[in-house]
Coordinates of all heavy atoms in Angstrom, one line a residue:
L1 N 60.6 169.4 -48.2 CA 61.4 168.8 -47.1 C 60.5 168.7 -45.9 O 60.5 167.6 -45.2 CB 62.6 169.7 -46.8 CG 63.5 169.3 -45.7 CD1 64.2 168.0 -46.0 CD2 64.5 170.4 -45.4
I2 N 59.7 169.7 -45.5 CA 58.9 169.6 -44.3 C 57.8 168.5 -44.5 O 57.5 167.7 -43.6 CB 58.1 170.9 -44.0 CG1 59.2 172.0 -43.7 CG2 57.1 170.8 -43.0 CD1 59.9 171.8 -42.4
Y3 N 57.2 168.4 -45.7 CA 56.2 167.4 -46.0 C 56.8 166.0 -45.8 O 56.3 165.2 -45.1 CB 55.7 167.6 -47.5 CG 54.9 166.4 -47.9 CD1 53.5 166.4 -47.7 CD2 55.4 165.3 -48.6 CE1 52.7 165.3 -48.0 CE2 54.7 164.2 -48.9 CZ 53.3 164.2 -48.7 OH 52.5 163.2 -49.0
N4 N 58.0 165.8 -46.4 CA 58.6 164.4 -46.3 C 59.0 164.1 -44.8 O 58.9 163.0 -44.4 CB 59.9 164.4 -47.2 CG 59.5 164.3 -48.6 OD1 58.4 164.0 -49.0 ND2 60.5 164.7 -49.5
Y5 N 59.4 165.1 -44.1 CA 59.8 164.9 -42.7 C 58.6 164.5 -41.9 O 58.6 163.5 -41.2 CB 60.4 166.2 -42.2 CG 60.9 166.2 -40.8 CD1 62.1 165.6 -40.5 CD2 60.2 166.8 -39.8 CE1 62.5 165.6 -39.2 CE2 60.6 166.8 -38.5 CZ 61.8 166.2 -38.2 OH 62.3 166.1 -36.9
L6 N 57.5 165.2 -42.0 CA 56.3 164.9 -41.3 C 55.7 163.6 -41.7 O 55.2 162.8 -40.9 CB 55.3 166.0 -41.4 CG 55.6 167.4 -40.8 CD1 54.6 168.4 -41.1 CD2 55.8 167.2 -39.3
D7 N 55.8 163.3 -43.0 CA 55.2 162.1 -43.6 C 56.0 160.9 -43.0 O 55.4 159.8 -42.8 CB 55.2 162.1 -45.1 CG 54.3 161.0 -45.7 OD1 53.2 160.9 -45.3 OD2 54.8 160.3 -46.6
E8 N 57.2 161.0 -42.8 CA 58.1 159.9 -42.2 C 57.6 159.6 -40.8 O 57.5 158.4 -40.4 CB 59.5 160.3 -42.2 CG 60.5 159.2 -41.8 CD 60.4 157.9 -42.7 OE1 60.1 158.1 -43.9 OE2 60.8 156.8 -42.2
Y9 N 57.3 160.6 -40.0 CA 56.8 160.4 -38.6 C 55.5 159.7 -38.7 O 55.2 158.8 -37.9 CB 56.8 161.7 -37.8 CG 58.1 162.0 -37.2 CD1 58.8 163.2 -37.5 CD2 58.6 161.2 -36.2 CE1 60.0 163.5 -36.9 CE2 59.8 161.5 -35.6 CZ 60.5 162.7 -36.0 OH 61.7 163.0 -35.4
L10 N 54.6 160.1 -39.6 CA 53.3 159.4 -39.8 C 53.5 158.0 -40.1 O 52.8 157.1 -39.6 CB 52.5 160.2 -40.8 CG 51.0 159.7 -41.0 CD1 50.2 159.8 -39.7 CD2 50.3 160.5 -42.1
Y11 N 54.4 157.7 -41.0 CA 54.7 156.3 -41.4 C 55.2 155.5 -40.2 O 54.7 154.4 -40.0 CB 55.7 156.3 -42.5 CG 56.2 154.9 -42.8 CD1 55.5 154.0 -43.6 CD2 57.4 154.4 -42.3 CE1 55.9 152.7 -43.8 CE2 57.8 153.1 -42.5 CZ 57.1 152.3 -43.3 OH 57.5 151.0 -43.5
I12 N 56.1 156.1 -39.4 CA 56.6 155.4 -38.3 C 55.4 155.0 -37.3 O 55.4 153.9 -36.8 CB 57.7 156.2 -37.6 CG1 58.9 156.2 -38.4 CG2 58.0 155.7 -36.2 CD1 60.0 157.2 -38.0
F13 N 54.5 156.0 -37.1 CA 53.4 155.7 -36.2 C 52.6 154.6 -36.8 O 52.2 153.6 -36.0 CB 52.5 157.0 -36.1 CG 51.2 156.6 -35.4 CD1 51.2 156.4 -34.0 CD2 50.0 156.6 -36.1 CE1 49.9 156.0 -33.4 CE2 48.8 156.3 -35.5 CZ 48.8 156.0 -34.1
H14 N 52.2 154.6 -38.1 CA 51.4 153.5 -38.6 C 52.1 152.2 -38.7 O 51.5 151.1 -38.5 CB 50.9 153.9 -40.0 CG 49.8 154.9 -40.0 ND1 48.5 154.7 -39.7 CD2 49.9 156.2 -40.3 CE1 47.8 155.7 -39.8 NE2 48.6 156.7 -40.2
D15 N 53.4 152.2 -38.8 CA 54.2 151.0 -38.9 C 54.5 150.4 -37.5 O 54.3 149.1 -37.4 CB 55.5 151.3 -39.6 CG 56.4 150.0 -39.8 OD1 55.8 149.0 -40.4 OD2 57.5 150.0 -39.4
S16 N 54.8 151.2 -36.5 CA 55.2 150.6 -35.2 C 54.4 151.1 -34.1 O 54.6 150.6 -33.0 CB 56.7 151.0 -35.0 OG 56.8 152.4 -34.8
G17 N 53.5 152.1 -34.3 CA 52.7 152.6 -33.1 C 53.5 153.6 -32.3 O 53.0 153.9 -31.2
F18 N 54.6 154.1 -32.8 CA 55.4 155.0 -32.0 C 54.8 156.4 -32.1 O 54.5 157.0 -33.1 CB 56.8 155.1 -32.6 CG 57.7 156.1 -31.8 CD1 58.3 155.7 -30.6 CD2 58.1 157.3 -32.4 CE1 59.1 156.5 -29.9 CE2 58.9 158.1 -31.7 CZ 59.4 157.8 -30.4
I19 N 54.5 157.0 -30.9 CA 53.9 158.4 -30.8 C 55.0 159.3 -30.4 O 55.7 159.2 -29.4 CB 52.8 158.4 -29.7 CG1 51.7 157.4 -30.0 CG2 52.3 159.8 -29.6 CD1 50.8 157.3 -28.9
V20 N 55.2 160.3 -31.2 CA 56.3 161.4 -31.0 C 55.7 162.4 -30.0 O 54.6 162.9 -30.2 CB 56.7 162.0 -32.3 CG1 57.7 163.1 -32.0 CG2 57.3 161.0 -33.3
K21 N 56.5 162.7 -29.0 CA 56.2 163.7 -28.0 C 57.0 164.9 -28.2 O 56.5 166.0 -28.1 CB 56.3 163.1 -26.6 CG 56.0 164.1 -25.5 CD 56.1 163.6 -24.1 CE 55.7 164.6 -23.1 NZ 55.9 164.1 -21.8
D22 N 58.3 164.8 -28.4 CA 59.2 165.9 -28.5 C 60.1 165.7 -29.7 O 60.6 164.5 -29.9 CB 60.1 166.1 -27.3 CG 59.3 166.5 -26.0 OD1 58.5 167.5 -26.1 OD2 59.5 165.8 -25.0
V23 N 60.4 166.7 -30.4 CA 61.3 166.7 -31.5 C 62.4 167.8 -31.4 O 62.0 168.9 -31.1 CB 60.6 166.8 -32.9 CG1 61.6 166.9 -34.0 CG2 59.6 165.7 -33.1
D24 N 63.6 167.5 -31.5 CA 64.7 168.4 -31.5 C 65.4 168.4 -32.9 O 65.9 167.4 -33.3 CB 65.8 168.1 -30.4 CG 65.2 168.3 -29.0 OD1 64.5 169.3 -28.8 OD2 65.6 167.5 -28.2
I25 N 65.3 169.5 -33.6 CA 66.0 169.6 -34.9 C 67.3 170.3 -34.6 O 67.4 171.5 -34.2 CB 65.1 170.4 -35.9 CG1 63.8 169.7 -36.1 CG2 65.9 170.7 -37.2 CD1 62.8 170.4 -37.0
S26 N 68.4 169.6 -34.9 CA 69.7 170.1 -34.6 C 70.3 170.8 -35.9 O 71.2 171.6 -35.7 CB 70.6 169.0 -34.1 OG 70.7 167.9 -35.0
E27 N 69.8 170.4 -37.0 CA 70.4 171.0 -38.2 C 69.4 170.9 -39.4 O 68.8 169.9 -39.6 CB 71.7 170.3 -38.6 CG 72.4 170.8 -39.8 CD 73.7 170.1 -40.1 OE1 74.3 169.4 -39.2 OE2 74.2 170.1 -41.2
I28 N 69.4 172.0 -40.2 CA 68.7 172.0 -41.5 C 69.7 172.5 -42.5 O 70.2 173.6 -42.3 CB 67.4 172.9 -41.4 CG1 66.4 172.4 -40.4 CG2 66.8 172.9 -42.8 CD1 65.2 173.2 -40.2
T29 N 69.9 171.7 -43.5 CA 70.9 172.0 -44.5 C 70.1 172.2 -45.9 O 69.4 171.3 -46.2 CB 72.0 171.0 -44.7 OG1 72.5 170.8 -43.4 CG2 73.0 171.3 -45.7
T30 N 70.4 173.3 -46.5 CA 69.8 173.4 -47.9 C 70.9 173.8 -48.9 O 71.7 174.6 -48.6 CB 68.7 174.5 -47.9 OG1 69.3 175.8 -47.4 CG2 67.6 174.2 -47.0
D31 N 70.8 173.2 -50.0 CA 71.7 173.5 -51.1 C 70.9 173.5 -52.3 O 70.7 172.6 -53.0 CB 72.8 172.4 -51.2 CG 73.9 172.8 -52.3 OD1 73.6 173.6 -53.2 OD2 74.9 172.2 -52.3
N32 N 70.3 174.7 -52.6 CA 69.4 174.9 -53.7 C 70.0 174.6 -55.1 O 69.4 174.2 -56.0 CB 68.8 176.3 -53.7 CG 67.9 176.5 -52.5 OD1 67.2 175.6 -52.0 ND2 67.8 177.7 -52.0
E33 N 71.3 174.9 -55.2 CA 72.0 174.7 -56.4 C 72.1 173.2 -56.8 O 71.9 172.9 -58.0 CB 73.5 175.2 -56.3 CG 74.2 175.3 -57.6 CD 75.5 176.0 -57.4 OE1 75.5 177.2 -57.1 OE2 76.6 175.3 -57.6
R34 N 72.3 172.3 -55.8 CA 72.3 170.9 -56.1 C 71.0 170.2 -55.8 O 70.9 169.0 -55.9 CB 73.4 170.2 -55.3 CG 74.8 170.7 -55.8 CD 75.9 169.9 -55.1 NE 75.8 169.9 -53.6 CZ 76.2 168.9 -52.8 NH1 76.7 167.9 -53.4 NH2 76.0 169.0 -51.5
N35 N 70.0 171.0 -55.3 CA 68.7 170.5 -55.0 C 68.8 169.4 -53.9 O 68.2 168.4 -53.9 CB 67.9 169.9 -56.2 CG 66.5 169.9 -56.0 OD1 65.9 170.6 -55.2 ND2 65.8 168.9 -56.6
V36 N 69.6 169.8 -52.8 CA 69.8 168.8 -51.7 C 69.3 169.5 -50.4 O 69.7 170.7 -50.2 CB 71.3 168.5 -51.5 CG1 71.5 167.7 -50.3 CG2 71.8 167.8 -52.8
F37 N 68.4 168.8 -49.7 CA 67.9 169.4 -48.5 C 67.9 168.3 -47.4 O 67.7 167.1 -47.7 CB 66.4 169.8 -48.7 CG 66.2 170.7 -49.8 CD1 65.9 170.2 -51.1 CD2 66.4 172.1 -49.7 CE1 65.7 171.0 -52.2 CE2 66.3 172.9 -50.8 CZ 65.9 172.4 -52.0
K38 N 68.3 168.6 -46.2 CA 68.5 167.6 -45.2 C 68.1 168.2 -43.8 O 68.4 169.3 -43.5 CB 70.0 167.2 -45.1 CG 70.3 166.1 -44.1 CD 71.7 165.6 -44.3 CE 72.8 166.6 -43.9 NZ 74.1 166.0 -43.9
I39 N 67.4 167.3 -43.0 CA 67.1 167.7 -41.6 C 67.8 166.6 -40.7 O 67.6 165.4 -41.0 CB 65.6 167.7 -41.3 CG1 64.9 168.8 -42.1 CG2 65.3 167.8 -39.9 CD1 63.4 168.8 -42.0
I40 N 68.5 167.0 -39.7 CA 69.0 166.1 -38.7 C 68.3 166.4 -37.4 O 68.2 167.6 -37.0 CB 70.5 166.3 -38.5 CG1 71.3 166.0 -39.8 CG2 71.0 165.5 -37.4 CD1 72.8 166.3 -39.8
S41 N 67.6 165.4 -36.9 CA 66.8 165.6 -35.7 C 66.8 164.3 -34.8 O 67.3 163.3 -35.2 CB 65.4 165.9 -36.1 OG 64.8 164.8 -36.7
S42 N 66.3 164.5 -33.6 CA 66.1 163.4 -32.7 C 64.7 163.6 -32.1 O 64.2 164.7 -32.0 CB 67.1 163.3 -31.6 OG 67.1 164.4 -30.8
S43 N 64.0 162.5 -31.8 CA 62.7 162.6 -31.2 C 62.6 161.6 -30.0 O 63.3 160.7 -29.9 CB 61.7 162.2 -32.3 OG 61.8 160.9 -32.8
R44 N 61.7 162.0 -29.2 CA 61.3 161.2 -28.0 C 59.8 160.9 -28.0 O 59.1 161.7 -28.5 CB 61.7 161.9 -26.7 CG 63.2 162.0 -26.5 CD 63.6 162.9 -25.4 NE 63.3 164.3 -25.5 CZ 63.9 165.1 -26.3 NH1 64.9 164.7 -27.1 NH2 63.5 166.4 -26.4
G45 N 59.5 159.8 -27.5 CA 58.1 159.4 -27.4 C 57.9 158.0 -26.9 O 58.8 157.5 -26.2
E46 N 56.8 157.4 -27.2 CA 56.6 156.0 -26.7 C 55.6 155.3 -27.6 O 55.0 155.9 -28.5 CB 56.1 156.0 -25.3 CG 54.8 156.9 -25.1 CD 54.5 157.1 -23.7 OE1 55.1 156.5 -22.8 OE2 53.5 157.9 -23.4
K47 N 55.5 154.0 -27.5 CA 54.6 153.2 -28.3 C 53.1 153.5 -27.8 O 52.9 153.8 -26.6 CB 54.9 151.8 -28.2 CG 56.2 151.4 -28.9 CD 56.3 150.0 -29.2 CE 55.4 149.7 -30.4 NZ 55.8 148.6 -31.3
L48 N 52.2 153.5 -28.7 CA 50.8 153.6 -28.4 C 50.4 152.6 -27.4 O 50.6 151.4 -27.6 CB 50.0 153.5 -29.6 CG 48.5 153.6 -29.4 CD1 48.0 155.0 -28.9 CD2 47.7 153.3 -30.7
D49 N 49.8 153.0 -26.3 CA 49.3 152.1 -25.2 C 47.9 152.5 -24.9 O 47.6 153.6 -24.3 CB 50.2 152.2 -24.0 CG 49.7 151.3 -22.9 OD1 48.6 150.7 -23.0 OD2 50.4 151.2 -21.8
L50 N 46.9 151.8 -25.4 CA 45.5 152.2 -25.3 C 45.0 152.3 -23.8 O 44.0 152.9 -23.5 CB 44.6 151.2 -26.0 CG 44.7 151.3 -27.6 CD1 43.8 150.3 -28.3 CD2 44.5 152.7 -28.1
S51 N 45.7 151.7 -22.9 CA 45.4 151.8 -21.5 C 45.9 153.2 -20.9 O 45.4 153.6 -19.9 CB 46.0 150.7 -20.6 OG 47.4 150.8 -20.6
K52 N 46.8 153.8 -21.7 CA 47.3 155.1 -21.3 C 46.9 156.3 -22.2 O 46.7 157.4 -21.7 CB 48.9 155.0 -21.3 CG 49.6 156.2 -20.8 CD 51.1 155.9 -20.8 CE 51.9 157.1 -20.3 NZ 53.3 156.8 -20.3
H53 N 46.8 156.0 -23.5 CA 46.5 157.0 -24.4 C 45.1 156.9 -24.9 O 44.7 155.8 -25.3 CB 47.4 156.9 -25.6 CG 48.9 157.0 -25.3 ND1 49.7 155.9 -25.3 CD2 49.7 158.0 -24.9 CE1 50.9 156.2 -24.9 NE2 50.9 157.5 -24.7
S54 N 44.3 158.0 -25.0 CA 43.0 157.9 -25.5 C 43.1 157.9 -27.0 O 43.9 158.5 -27.6 CB 42.2 159.1 -25.0 OG 42.7 160.3 -25.5
Q55 N 42.2 157.2 -27.6 CA 42.2 157.0 -29.1 C 41.3 158.1 -29.6 O 40.1 158.3 -29.3 CB 41.6 155.7 -29.5 CG 42.0 155.3 -30.9 CD 41.7 153.8 -31.2 OE1 41.2 153.1 -30.3 NE2 42.1 153.4 -32.3
G56 N 41.8 159.0 -30.5 CA 41.1 160.1 -31.1 C 41.0 160.0 -32.6 O 41.1 158.9 -33.1
T57 N 40.9 161.1 -33.2 CA 40.9 161.1 -34.7 C 42.3 160.8 -35.2 O 43.3 161.3 -34.8 CB 40.5 162.5 -35.1 OG1 39.2 162.9 -34.5 CG2 40.3 162.6 -36.6
E58 N 42.3 159.9 -36.2 CA 43.5 159.4 -36.8 C 43.9 160.3 -38.0 O 43.1 160.6 -38.8 CB 43.4 158.0 -37.2 CG 44.7 157.4 -37.8 CD 44.5 155.9 -38.2 OE1 43.5 155.3 -37.8 OE2 45.4 155.5 -38.9
I59 N 45.2 160.7 -38.0 CA 45.7 161.4 -39.2 C 46.0 160.4 -40.3 O 46.7 159.4 -40.1 CB 47.0 162.2 -38.9 CG1 46.6 163.3 -37.8 CG2 47.6 162.8 -40.1 CD1 47.9 164.0 -37.3
K60 N 45.3 160.6 -41.5 CA 45.5 159.7 -42.6 C 46.7 160.1 -43.5 O 47.4 159.3 -44.1 CB 44.3 159.7 -43.5 CG 43.0 159.2 -42.7 CD 43.1 157.8 -42.3 CE 41.8 157.4 -41.7 NZ 41.8 156.2 -40.9
A61 N 46.9 161.5 -43.6 CA 48.0 161.9 -44.5 C 48.3 163.4 -44.2 O 47.5 164.1 -43.7 CB 47.5 161.8 -46.0
I62 N 49.6 163.7 -44.5 CA 50.0 165.1 -44.5 C 49.7 165.7 -45.9 O 49.8 164.9 -46.9 CB 51.6 165.1 -44.3 CG1 52.0 164.3 -43.1 CG2 52.1 166.5 -44.2 CD1 51.4 164.8 -41.7
T63 N 49.4 166.9 -45.9 CA 49.0 167.5 -47.2 C 49.9 168.7 -47.5 O 50.5 169.3 -46.6 CB 47.5 168.0 -47.3 OG1 47.4 169.1 -46.5 CG2 46.6 166.9 -46.9
Y64 N 50.0 169.1 -48.8 CA 50.7 170.3 -49.2 C 49.7 171.5 -49.1 O 50.1 172.7 -49.2 CB 51.2 170.2 -50.6 CG 52.4 169.4 -50.8 CD1 52.3 168.1 -51.4 CD2 53.6 169.8 -50.4 CE1 53.4 167.3 -51.6 CE2 54.7 169.0 -50.6 CZ 54.6 167.7 -51.2 OH 55.7 167.0 -51.4
S65 N 48.4 171.3 -49.0 CA 47.4 172.3 -49.0 C 47.7 173.4 -48.0 O 47.7 173.2 -46.8 CB 46.1 171.7 -48.8 OG 45.1 172.7 -48.7
N66 N 47.9 174.6 -48.5 CA 48.1 175.8 -47.6 C 49.3 175.7 -46.7 O 49.3 176.3 -45.6 CB 46.8 176.2 -46.9 CG 46.8 177.6 -46.5 OD1 47.5 178.5 -47.1 ND2 46.1 177.9 -45.4
M67 N 50.3 174.8 -47.0 CA 51.4 174.7 -46.1 C 52.2 176.0 -46.1 O 52.4 176.6 -47.1 CB 52.3 173.5 -46.6 CG 53.5 173.3 -45.7 SD 54.6 171.9 -46.2 CE 53.6 170.5 -45.8
Q68 N 52.6 176.4 -44.9 CA 53.3 177.7 -44.7 C 54.5 177.5 -43.8 O 54.3 176.8 -42.8 CB 52.4 178.8 -44.2 CG 51.2 179.1 -45.0 CD 50.3 180.1 -44.4 OE1 50.8 181.0 -43.8 NE2 49.0 179.9 -44.4
V69 N 55.6 178.1 -44.1 CA 56.7 178.2 -43.3 C 57.1 179.6 -43.2 O 57.4 180.3 -44.2 CB 57.9 177.3 -43.8 CG1 59.1 177.4 -42.9 CG2 57.5 175.9 -44.1
K70 N 57.1 180.2 -42.0 CA 57.5 181.6 -41.8 C 58.6 181.7 -40.8 O 58.5 181.2 -39.7 CB 56.3 182.4 -41.2 CG 55.1 182.4 -42.2 CD 54.0 183.3 -41.8 CE 52.9 183.3 -42.8 NZ 51.8 184.2 -42.5
E71 N 59.7 182.4 -41.2 CA 60.8 182.6 -40.4 C 60.5 183.7 -39.4 O 59.8 184.7 -39.7 CB 62.0 183.0 -41.2 CG 62.6 181.8 -42.0 CD 63.9 182.2 -42.6 OE1 64.9 182.4 -41.9 OE2 63.9 182.2 -43.9
K72 N 61.0 183.6 -38.2 CA 60.7 184.6 -37.1 C 62.0 184.9 -36.4 O 62.7 183.9 -36.0 CB 59.7 184.0 -36.1 CG 59.4 185.0 -35.0 CD 58.3 184.4 -34.1 CE 58.0 185.4 -33.0 NZ 57.1 184.8 -32.0
E73 N 62.3 186.2 -36.3 CA 63.5 186.5 -35.5 C 63.2 186.3 -34.0 O 62.2 186.6 -33.5 CB 63.9 188.0 -35.8 CG 64.4 188.2 -37.2 CD 64.9 189.6 -37.4 OE1 65.3 190.3 -36.4 OE2 64.8 190.1 -38.5
V74 N 64.3 185.9 -33.3 CA 64.2 185.7 -31.9 C 64.2 187.1 -31.2 O 65.1 187.9 -31.4 CB 65.3 184.8 -31.4 CG1 65.3 184.7 -29.9 CG2 65.2 183.5 -32.1
T75 N 63.3 187.3 -30.3 CA 63.3 188.5 -29.5 C 64.2 188.4 -28.3 O 64.7 187.3 -28.0 CB 61.8 188.8 -28.9 OG1 61.5 187.8 -28.0 CG2 60.8 188.9 -30.0
N76 N 64.5 189.4 -27.6 CA 65.4 189.4 -26.5 C 65.0 188.4 -25.4 O 65.8 187.7 -24.9 CB 65.5 190.8 -25.8 CG 66.3 191.7 -26.7 OD1 67.1 191.3 -27.6 ND2 66.2 193.0 -26.5
K77 N 63.7 188.4 -25.1 CA 63.2 187.4 -24.1 C 63.4 186.0 -24.6 O 63.8 185.1 -23.8 CB 61.7 187.7 -23.9 CG 61.1 186.8 -22.8 CD 59.6 187.2 -22.5 CE 59.1 186.3 -21.4 NZ 57.7 186.6 -21.1
E78 N 63.1 185.7 -25.9 CA 63.3 184.4 -26.4 C 64.7 184.0 -26.5 O 65.1 182.9 -26.4 CB 62.6 184.3 -27.8 CG 61.1 184.3 -27.7 CD 60.5 184.4 -29.1 OE1 61.0 185.1 -29.9 OE2 59.4 183.8 -29.3
A79 N 65.6 185.0 -26.7 CA 67.0 184.8 -26.9 C 67.6 184.1 -25.7 O 68.7 183.4 -25.7 CB 67.7 186.1 -27.3
E80 N 67.0 184.4 -24.5 CA 67.5 183.8 -23.3 C 67.4 182.3 -23.3 O 68.2 181.5 -22.7 CB 66.8 184.3 -22.1 CG 67.0 185.8 -21.8 CD 66.1 186.4 -20.8 OE1 65.4 185.6 -20.1 OE2 66.1 187.6 -20.6
R81 N 66.4 181.8 -24.1 CA 66.2 180.4 -24.2 C 66.9 179.7 -25.4 O 67.1 178.6 -25.5 CB 64.7 180.0 -24.2 CG 64.0 180.3 -22.9 CD 62.6 180.0 -23.0 NE 61.9 181.2 -23.5 CZ 60.9 181.2 -24.3 NH1 60.5 180.1 -24.9 NH2 60.3 182.3 -24.7
S82 N 67.1 180.5 -26.5 CA 67.6 180.0 -27.7 C 68.5 181.0 -28.4 O 68.3 182.2 -28.2 CB 66.4 179.7 -28.6 OG 66.9 179.3 -29.9
T83 N 69.5 180.5 -29.1 CA 70.4 181.4 -29.8 C 70.1 181.5 -31.3 O 70.8 182.2 -32.0 CB 71.9 181.0 -29.6 OG1 72.0 179.6 -30.1 CG2 72.3 181.0 -28.1
N84 N 69.1 180.8 -31.7 CA 68.8 180.7 -33.1 C 67.5 181.3 -33.4 O 66.6 181.5 -32.5 CB 68.7 179.2 -33.6 CG 70.0 178.5 -33.4 OD1 71.1 179.1 -33.7 ND2 70.0 177.3 -33.0
N85 N 67.3 181.8 -34.7 CA 66.0 182.2 -35.1 C 65.1 180.9 -35.2 O 65.6 179.8 -35.1 CB 66.1 182.9 -36.5 CG 66.7 184.2 -36.3 OD1 66.8 184.8 -35.2 ND2 67.2 184.8 -37.4
R86 N 63.8 181.1 -35.4 CA 62.9 180.0 -35.5 C 62.0 180.1 -36.7 O 61.9 181.2 -37.3 CB 62.1 179.8 -34.2 CG 61.1 180.8 -34.1 CD 60.2 180.6 -32.8 NE 58.9 180.8 -33.1 CZ 57.9 181.0 -32.2 NH1 58.3 180.9 -30.9 NH2 56.7 181.2 -32.5
C87 N 61.4 179.0 -37.0 CA 60.4 179.0 -38.1 C 59.1 178.4 -37.5 O 59.1 177.5 -36.7 CB 60.8 178.1 -39.3 SG 62.2 178.7 -40.2
D88 N 58.0 179.1 -37.9 CA 56.7 178.6 -37.5 C 56.1 177.9 -38.8 O 56.2 178.4 -39.9 CB 55.7 179.7 -37.1 CG 56.1 180.3 -35.8 OD1 56.7 179.6 -35.0 OD2 55.8 181.5 -35.5
V89 N 55.6 176.7 -38.6 CA 55.1 175.8 -39.7 C 53.6 175.6 -39.5 O 53.2 175.2 -38.4 CB 55.9 174.5 -39.8 CG1 55.4 173.6 -40.9 CG2 57.4 174.8 -39.9
W90 N 52.9 175.8 -40.6 CA 51.4 175.4 -40.6 C 51.2 174.4 -41.6 O 51.6 174.5 -42.7 CB 50.6 176.7 -41.0 CG 50.5 177.7 -39.9 CD1 49.5 177.8 -38.9 CD2 51.4 178.8 -39.7 NE1 49.8 178.9 -38.1 CE2 51.0 179.5 -38.6 CE3 52.6 179.2 -40.3 CZ2 51.6 180.6 -38.1 CZ3 53.2 180.3 -39.8 CH2 52.7 181.0 -38.7
V91 N 50.6 173.3 -41.1 CA 50.3 172.1 -42.0 C 48.9 171.7 -41.8 O 48.4 171.6 -40.7 CB 51.3 171.0 -41.6 CG1 51.0 169.8 -42.5 CG2 52.7 171.4 -41.8
I92 N 48.2 171.4 -42.9 CA 46.9 170.8 -42.8 C 47.0 169.3 -43.1 O 47.8 168.9 -43.9 CB 46.0 171.4 -43.9 CG1 45.8 172.9 -43.6 CG2 44.6 170.7 -44.0 CD1 45.0 173.7 -44.6
V93 N 46.3 168.5 -42.2 CA 46.4 167.1 -42.4 C 45.0 166.5 -42.8 O 44.0 167.1 -42.5 CB 46.9 166.4 -41.1 CG1 48.3 166.8 -40.7 CG2 45.9 166.7 -39.9
D94 N 45.0 165.4 -43.5 CA 43.8 164.7 -43.8 C 43.5 163.7 -42.7 O 44.3 163.0 -42.2 CB 43.9 163.9 -45.1 CG 43.9 164.7 -46.3 OD1 43.4 165.9 -46.3 OD2 44.4 164.3 -47.4
I95 N 42.2 163.8 -42.2 CA 41.8 162.8 -41.2 C 40.7 161.9 -41.7 O 40.1 162.2 -42.7 CB 41.3 163.6 -39.9 CG1 40.2 164.6 -40.2 CG2 42.5 164.3 -39.3 CD1 39.6 165.3 -39.0

């Protein structure tokens, strides 16, 4: 699910030049019994503008290599900003 999600953003960048700045994930649904997984999110960003954005190393592909997703409980300090637990995701990309 994470791989497909990130790969879709990479496709959007290559197709339209849209650069994602912020992503809000409002819902993640998993139904392992029916093998159904869904992410509902919104993103903000802008089209690539070479007069504004410096051109760096281009990401060619998202990989499964060493992909990790770790759930983290929210601490009291973090709870003031969020009511949900969070996941930290590590992804290696091909450049």
Side-chain angles (χ1 to χ4, degrees):
L1 180 63
I2 296 293
Y3 170 87
N4 289 339
Y5 183 76
L6 294 173
D7 196 49
E8 185 65 24
Y9 275 115
L10 184 59
Y11 171 79
I12 290 169
F13 169 73
H14 285 286
D15 183 54
S16 66
F18 181 76
I19 302 170
V20 176
K21 180 179 180 183
D22 293 308
V23 175
D24 291 320
I25 297 175
S26 56
E27 182 180 338
I28 298 176
T29 305
T30 59
D31 184 344
N32 293 329
E33 191 173 294
R34 294 187 308 148
N35 201 29
V36 174
F37 308 94
K38 180 172 69 171
I39 294 177
I40 297 175
S41 68
S42 62
S43 60
R44 288 172 296 286
E46 58 192 352
K47 289 197 82 150
L48 176 65
D49 179 354
L50 293 177
S51 67
K52 183 177 181 181
H53 303 106
S54 61
Q55 198 168 7
T57 304
E58 183 179 346
I59 296 173
K60 303 290 185 198
I62 308 299
T63 71
Y64 286 109
S65 177
N66 202 27
M67 183 179 287
Q68 298 176 41
V69 178
K70 295 188 179 182
E71 290 186 63
K72 180 180 178 184
E73 290 185 30
V74 175
T75 64
N76 288 339
K77 184 177 180 181
E78 292 171 322
E80 295 171 9
R81 289 180 273 138
S82 174
T83 57
N84 298 320
N85 290 342
R86 73 176 221 196
C87 291
D88 292 334
V89 178
W90 287 267
V91 178
I92 296 174
V93 297
D94 285 342
I95 53 174

